Amino acid sequence: ENGPQKDPKVTRAANVRLGGWHQKTPKAMSQWEVVGGSDKGGILVRKGQDLKSEQCADRLSTGALLEEVKLVGDRLHYKRITGTGPEEGWVSTKISGKELVVKKVVDDTPAE
């Protein structure tokens, strides 16, 4: 009879562990850095995911730091953290094999 009573505890413990892991995930958000467009004053930003969607008037400055909202194939929906250009929009991660934005490794582990 002890068997069935143990299961809920194990499940609860697993949920607590998973819960803790999920809570940490938003902190370790993916960040991207704009590396392309130095010859054009930045990279082209569009208002939508579609490559035919409206272009934003401003370009995203080379060296700008972005927070990933969503990544769909080679299209990145971002929110700008540093740099100049549209605060939010869609950019291509690469064009013709040339990288425009690269993923940064963000280590959010607190120093012991």
Side-chain angles (χ1 to χ4, degrees), residues 50-105:
D50 196 309
L51 286 166
K52 294 183 182 75
S53 70
E54 192 183 338
Q55 293 181 14
C56 295
D58 298 327
R59 285 178 173 260
L60 198 53
S61 62
T62 305
L65 202 58
L66 315 174
E67 176 186 340
E68 177 183 315
V69 176
K70 189 176 186 184
L71 184 64
V72 184
D74 284 347
R75 300 288 289 158
L76 173 69
H77 183 196
Y78 75 88
K79 281 191 176 162
R80 183 170 52 77
I81 302 170
T82 65
T84 60
E87 201 172 302
E88 188 176 347
W90 288 83
V91 293
S92 293
T93 56
K94 53 186 161 207
I95 284 184
S96 316
K98 187 179 168 194
E99 291 188 317
L100 297 181
V101 292
V102 291
K103 197 167 203 168
K104 285 179 74 76
V105 179

